[in-house]
């Protein structure tokens, strides 16, 4: 996989301006006079009689069309006389097709009433989307139950595919710019990413609510939405896949009963070439077998002097509606990639430099070589069986099987005074994950009190076979490296590996399993007051790290942990404003190794949280504001008395405020904003660690903010033309924060902007990320992209 696409330089802004001008001219031309052409107009409503906004209405034979406005009205002008089929479609609504006769000089009226799709909470989503198109809060994933956001005592954020399309997102982690408190993505050597949640590093290991352990980069082509569930979530989700700050659940695109194809091409800075396709169709006349496939071809170079990412991704999915009680979903994510390792730099504690800006290292120097690369592969198979047992109970069976691997060279850099040490690791690291869940979900009354309950069991297994050999290259001056800069090659590295004596730890096998049972009940005391009570028991079995060379196993242990969750919600204004409070518990099985090989106790986190949720003005504004307090016990840290080992003697506190707003004040204008303040510190540290009372470096910036505002013209000849602007802010943070040494990462403010023209049959968009060319870094001191330009061309069939 060396060359996927021909190198193309990004178009100039003059060229983009010309494209927009040409498009507007084509759509506003008056080729035929009103005396020879006709008009089709009408309204689109949902089955509850309310106006439906953003519905695509298209004349099938001519591809002429319009998008319904906030009042549900649409108008298609300059239609040649004749008889046509006109279709109205919107994701989540059933597509409807009607016949119309167009007469020259006259206006034909056509009205649509679209029924909701098959999800239990779909009606709420459709009503929300009529005005606030980035609002998709109603989800069954968070509580595993059909409860609305205003009924749920837990805090969560949802980033929709519509928002990511408007922002021309070509990288999965770019979608997290819209989630309060996530910060700058942390990219690992093989493309795997983590972000922040309430001051804790949080991975991307959950897909469709079960394990989706992707050790490589995640392609956004198949993402319907990203759900960020906040706080310890050990009651309903596997603790091995979440942090004490929460979890990120990526929800994939599912088949629906219409026929639609979208093809998108993105090009831009750093030789970006990206081609994606989304094809959906029923496979039989009865529309009981539905098929959808998403695929992506991606090629991009780094802004630095070396570095690239090339990948191919395909995600087919099938839904089989056996009858009105039974449905089966099967889908897969298959990816192959070739890339260079992510930039990673460690400072020198002995040097007298305490800030990345003062280090004076060249922002655009990679210190690497494109030949030191790796291959990645991902196969993720997912199955879901929904069976309606009765009017009050249903069975939900979920299965996931994952294979994820990287093979090749990854790199790491360390500063030593004015020199840099470049390390190369030749690795072959496959992961094998199996996850099975069985849930029984009920919605029933005991007397006059409504109960919504989920009871389930889960099995999870993760295996890995890690082969790696590390070598260090000679030191070079990082300011004036000279010819030695180019010595970091596979040939040089392989020679050092060949000369190195093998050790037993070069090949290690790991095997972990967990067995869990859980139950959660939402109990309606009144129609405004409800309580949630949940509990989980988890049996964790770690067979340890086994080295076949010497036959030794270390770190093997078994543990049992309980995790409760309680919540209370009162709707001050019915279906508009609610007050909530929760107590949530999470745990983490510690696999670190102590000096005497004694197993560590589970690490526990207990959260208390209170806040307010708003969903008012006919869903035009949705907001959540909360205060949380998370206390962590049995915290592990480096053992100061024994290098390379850990000790368990700490406690940690993480508390703060989070706020989010998603608003549509008037037609076409949308706002997504958030703010997070996090105060984290080690409240009890082992003697000699130098951590007592300090903020953990991995907690990131204490203050983070995000904002996105966009306006789209909803009526007139240039309907669909829009602009967007926004940005992100992070306060200063630490790469290292100890009493003896601190290394600071400065604050940052980035600004992004976009312009687009969205029509029923095509979309043109341009995006400029980091408009002010801000220099900023991740926790691993990786320089982030400078100003980046992207052009997006989208065709819809």
């Amino acid at each position: 996989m060396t060359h996927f696409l021909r190198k193309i330089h990004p178009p100039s802004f003059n060229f983009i301006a010309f494209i927009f001008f040409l498009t507007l001219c084509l759509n506003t031309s008056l080729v035929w006079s009103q005396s020879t052409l006709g008009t089709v107009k009408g309204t689109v409503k949902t089955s509850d009689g309310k106006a439906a906004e953003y519905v695509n209405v298209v004349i099938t034979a001519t591809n002429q069309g319009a998008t319904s406005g906030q009042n549900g009205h649409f108008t298609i002008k300059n239609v040649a006389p004749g008889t046509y089929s006109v279709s109205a479609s919107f994701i989540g609504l059933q597509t409807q097709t009607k016949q119309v006769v167009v007469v020259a000089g006259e206006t034909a009226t056509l009205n649509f009433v679209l029924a909701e799709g098959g999800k239990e909470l779909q009606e709420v989503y459709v009503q929300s989307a009529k005005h606030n198109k980035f609002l998709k809060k109603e989800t069954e994933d968070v509580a595993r139950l059909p409860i609305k956001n205003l009924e749920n005592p837990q805090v969560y954020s949802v980033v929709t595919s519509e928002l990511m399309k408007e922002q021309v997102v070509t990288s999965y982690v770019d979608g997290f710019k819209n989630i309060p408190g996530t910060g700058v993505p942390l990219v690992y050597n093989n493309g795997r990413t983590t972000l922040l949640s309430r001051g804790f590093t949080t991975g991307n290991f959950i897909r469709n609510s079960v394990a989706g352990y992707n050790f490589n980069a995640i392609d956004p082509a198949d993402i319907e939405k990203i759900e960020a569930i906040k706080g310890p979530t050990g009651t309903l989700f596997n603790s091995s896949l979440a942090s004490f700050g929460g979890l990120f659940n990526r929800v994939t695109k599912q088949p629906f009963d219409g026929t639609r194809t979208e093809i998108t091409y993105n090009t831009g800075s750093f030789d970006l070439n990206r081609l994606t396709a989304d094809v959906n169709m029923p496979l039989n006349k009865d529309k009981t077998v539905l098929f959808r496939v998403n695929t992506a071809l991606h090629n991009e170079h780094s802004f630095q002097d070396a570095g690239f990412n090339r990948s191919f991704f395909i995600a087919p999915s099938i839904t089989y509606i056996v009858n009105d009680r039974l449905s089966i979903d099967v889908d897969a994510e298959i990816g192959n990639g070739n890339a260079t390792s992510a930039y990673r730099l460690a400072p020198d504690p002995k040097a007298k430099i305490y800030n990345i800006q003062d280090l004076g290292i060249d922002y655009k120097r990679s210190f690497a070589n494109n030949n030191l690369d790796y291959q990645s592969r991902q196969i993720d198979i997912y199955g879901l069986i929904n069976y309606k047992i009765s009017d009050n109970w249903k069975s939900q069976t979920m299965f996931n099987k994952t294979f994820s691997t990287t093979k090749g060279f990854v790199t790491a850099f360390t500063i030593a005074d004015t020199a840099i040490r470049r390390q190369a690791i030749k690795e072959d690291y496959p992961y094998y994950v199996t996850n099975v869940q069985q849930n029984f979900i009920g919605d029933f009354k005991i007397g006059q009190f409504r109960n919504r309950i989920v009871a389930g069991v889960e099995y999870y297994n993760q295996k890995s076979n890690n082969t790696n050999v590390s070598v260090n290259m000679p030191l070079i001056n990082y300011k004036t490296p000279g010819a030695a800069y180019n010595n970091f090659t596979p040939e040089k590295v392989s020679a050092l590996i060949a000369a190195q004596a093998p050790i037993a730890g070069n090949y290690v096998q790991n095997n972990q399993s967990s067995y869990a049972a859980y139950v959660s009940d939402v109990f309606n005391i009144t129609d405004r007051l409800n309580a949630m009570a949940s509990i989980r028991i988890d049996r964790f079995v770690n067979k340890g790290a086994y080295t076949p060379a010497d036959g030794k196993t270390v770190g093997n242990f078994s543990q049992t942990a309980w995790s409760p969750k309680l919540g209370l919600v009162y709707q001050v204004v019915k279906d508009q404003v609610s007050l909530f409070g929760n107590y949530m518990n999470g745990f983490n099985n510690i696999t670190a190794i102590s000096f005497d090989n004694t197993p560590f106790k589970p690490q526990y986190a207990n959260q208390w949280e209170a806040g307010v949720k708003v969903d008012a003005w006919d869903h035009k504004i949705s907001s959540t504001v909360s205060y949380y307090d998370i206390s962590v016990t049995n915290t592990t840290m480096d053992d100061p008395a024994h290098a390379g080992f850990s000790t368990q003697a700490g406690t940690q506190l993480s508390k703060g405020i989070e706020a989010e707003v998603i608003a549509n004040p008037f037609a076409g204008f949308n706002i997504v904003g958030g703010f997070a303040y996090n105060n984290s510190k080690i409240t009890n540290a082992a003697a000699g660690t130098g951590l007592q009372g300090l903020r953990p470096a991995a907690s990131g910036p204490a203050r983070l903010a995000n904002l996105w505002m966009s306006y789209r013209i909803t009526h007139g000849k240039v309907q669909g033309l829009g602009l967007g602007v926004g940005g992100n802010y992070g306060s200063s943070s630490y790469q290292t924060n100890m009493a003896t040494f601190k290394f600071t990462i400065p604050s940052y403010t980035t600004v992004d902007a976009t312009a687009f023209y969205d029509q029923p049959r095509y979309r043109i968009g341009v995006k400029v990320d980091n408009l002010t060319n801000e220099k900023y870094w991740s926790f691993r001191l990786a320089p982030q992209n400078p100003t980046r330009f992207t052009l997006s061309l989208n065709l819809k069939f």
Side-chain angles (χ1 to χ4, degrees), residues 348-410:
D348 183 0
K350 297 178 182 179
K352 295 182 179 180
I353 300 176
Y354 309 105
N355 189 303
I356 182 63
Q357 287 180 316
D358 298 333
L359 195 60
I361 195 166
D362 193 332
Y363 197 79
K364 292 188 176 181
R365 236 179 208 146
S366 69
F367 293 93
N369 187 297
N370 280 338
N371 291 323
L372 278 171
D373 58 352
Y374 65 86
Q375 304 285 332
S376 64
R377 189 180 179 191
Q378 177 81 16
I379 302 175
D380 197 347
I381 308 296
Y382 170 82
L384 169 65
I385 301 174
N386 278 314
Y387 180 69
K388 184 178 180 181
I389 300 172
S390 67
D391 290 340
N392 301 111
W393 286 93
K394 75 173 183 178
S395 167
Q396 184 185 72
T397 306
M398 291 183 284
F399 169 82
N400 182 263
K401 187 77 173 179
T402 297
F403 167 71
S404 181
T405 185
T406 57
K407 186 175 183 179
F409 294 101
V410 296

Side-chain angles (χ1 to χ4, degrees), residues 94-219:
Q94 297 179 7
T95 300
Q96 188 176 44
T97 301
K98 289 188 173 185
Q99 298 292 316
V100 67
V101 177
V102 178
V103 179
E106 296 183 8
T107 297
T109 301
L110 202 59
N111 297 321
F112 294 92
V113 177
L114 305 186
E116 289 81 10
K119 299 290 185 182
E120 289 189 42
L121 290 175
Q122 193 65 55
E123 180 179 354
V124 179
Y125 158 59
V126 169
Q127 291 178 3
S128 299
K130 290 203 313 280
H131 302 310
N132 202 341
K133 67 176 182 177
F134 300 145
L135 177 61
K136 196 182 282 189
K137 280 280 193 176
E138 310 309 335
T139 172
E140 296 186 28
D141 301 319
V142 177
R144 304 295 182 91
L145 291 168
I147 64 172
K148 302 176 184 178
N149 176 43
L150 290 178
E151 298 177 289
N152 196 332
Q154 192 160 8
V155 173
Y156 59 95
S157 298
V158 179
V159 179
T160 67
S161 58
E162 291 87 355
L163 178 55
M164 289 188 283
K165 180 182 291 186
E166 180 172 284
Q167 295 178 343
V168 194
V169 167
T170 59
S171 169
Y172 173 68
V173 291
D174 281 347
F176 286 82
K177 290 181 177 181
N178 304 288
I179 298 174
T182 54
V184 179
L186 180 59
V187 183
Y188 292 83
N189 289 338
N190 37 37
R192 178 170 61 92
T193 56
T194 64
L195 295 107
L196 294 171
S197 184
R198 297 192 168 177
F200 296 92
T201 302
T202 305
N204 284 284
F205 297 139
I206 296 180
R207 171 177 175 262
N208 294 334
S209 300
V210 295
Y213 199 99
N214 194 330
F215 203 65
N216 311 310
I218 297 172
D219 196 285

Side-chain angles (χ1 to χ4, degrees), residues 724-742:
V725 64
N728 292 78
Y729 164 79
S731 60
S732 62
S733 58
Y734 295 102
Q735 191 277 338
T736 304
N737 189 22
M738 303 174 65
T740 55
F741 179 67
K742 300 178 187 293

Side-chain angles (χ1 to χ4, degrees), residues 200 232 244 559 562 583-590 600-607 629-637 647-654 681-685:
F200 296 92
F244 293 147
Q559 290 177 339
W562 292 85
Y583 164 78
M584 297 199 301
N585 172 276
F587 60 89
N588 190 9
N589 302 106
I590 305 299
F600 289 124
K601 299 176 182 178
Q603 189 178 15
Y604 282 97
N606 297 287
Q607 172 183 279
D629 185 301
I630 304 172
S631 59
V632 182
T633 58
N634 298 332
T635 299
T636 57
M637 54 194 67
T647 183
Q648 189 174 53
T651 58
Q652 180 180 345
L653 179 67
S654 178
K681 63 180 178 179
I682 300 295
T683 50
N684 185 29

Side-chain angles (χ1 to χ4, degrees), residues 560-586:
T560 300
W562 292 85
S563 179
K565 180 170 73 172
L566 302 170
L568 198 65
V569 179
Y570 178 69
Q571 296 186 41
V572 180
V573 181
K574 177 68 173 171
D575 295 328
Q576 294 190 66
V577 181
S578 64
L579 302 177
F580 69 92
N582 67 58
Y583 164 78
M584 297 199 301
N585 172 276

Side-chain angles (χ1 to χ4, degrees), residues 612-793:
V612 58
K613 293 184 178 183
V614 176
D615 190 347
W617 198 12
D618 196 19
H619 306 290
K620 289 185 178 181
I621 182 168
S622 174
S623 181
T624 302
V625 180
S626 70
Y627 170 82
Y628 63 87
D629 185 301
I630 304 172
S631 59
V632 182
T633 58
N634 298 332
T635 299
T636 57
M637 54 194 67
D638 292 339
D639 189 340
H642 305 96
F645 293 93
S646 298
T647 183
Q648 189 174 53
T651 58
Q652 180 180 345
L653 179 67
S654 178
K655 58 184 179 179
I657 297 171
E658 281 185 344
E660 179 188 54
V661 61
I662 305 173
N664 173 228
F666 54 86
F669 183 48
N670 288 275
I671 302 171
V672 177
F675 174 78
Y677 169 72
N678 173 260
N679 178 16
S680 289
K681 63 180 178 179
I682 300 295
T683 50
N684 185 29
T689 58
L691 299 174
Q692 181 69 33
L694 299 180
R695 180 179 180 85
S699 294
R703 295 171 180 83
L704 290 161
N706 62 280
L707 177 65
W708 181 256
M709 300 181 294
S710 64
Y711 176 69
R712 165 180 165 170
I713 298 173
T714 59
H715 301 285
K717 295 180 179 180
V718 291
Q719 176 180 327
L721 181 66
L723 301 170
V725 64
N728 292 78
Y729 164 79
S731 60
S732 62
S733 58
Y734 295 102
Q735 191 277 338
T736 304
N737 189 22
M738 303 174 65
T740 55
F741 179 67
K742 300 178 187 293
F743 197 84
T744 305
I745 303 171
S747 63
Y748 66 91
T749 301
T750 60
V751 178
D752 306 330
T754 186
F756 57 87
Y757 189 53
D758 195 357
Q759 293 296 292
R761 288 303 181 185
Y762 63 89
R763 185 183 193 278
I764 302 174
V766 291
K767 175 76 179 296
V768 181
D769 291 286
N770 195 2
L771 191 64
T772 59
N773 205 28
E774 179 90 340
K775 287 186 177 181
Y776 64 113
W777 295 261
S778 73
F779 171 69
R780 282 193 164 191
L781 303 182
Q784 302 300 294
N785 282 333
T787 300
R788 185 175 76 169
F789 167 84
T790 307
L791 167 66
S792 178
L793 305 173

Side-chain angles (χ1 to χ4, degrees), residues 145 181 269 361 473 526 536 539 550 742 749:
L145 291 168
S269 303
I361 195 166
M473 298 290 290
T526 70
R536 178 188 182 106
R539 178 64 175 172
D550 56 16
K742 300 178 187 293
T749 301

Side-chain angles (χ1 to χ4, degrees), residues 76-91:
I76 307 173
K77 297 180 179 180
N78 302 324
V79 182
T83 301
Y84 300 99
S85 294
V86 182
S87 65
S89 62
F90 182 83
I91 296 175

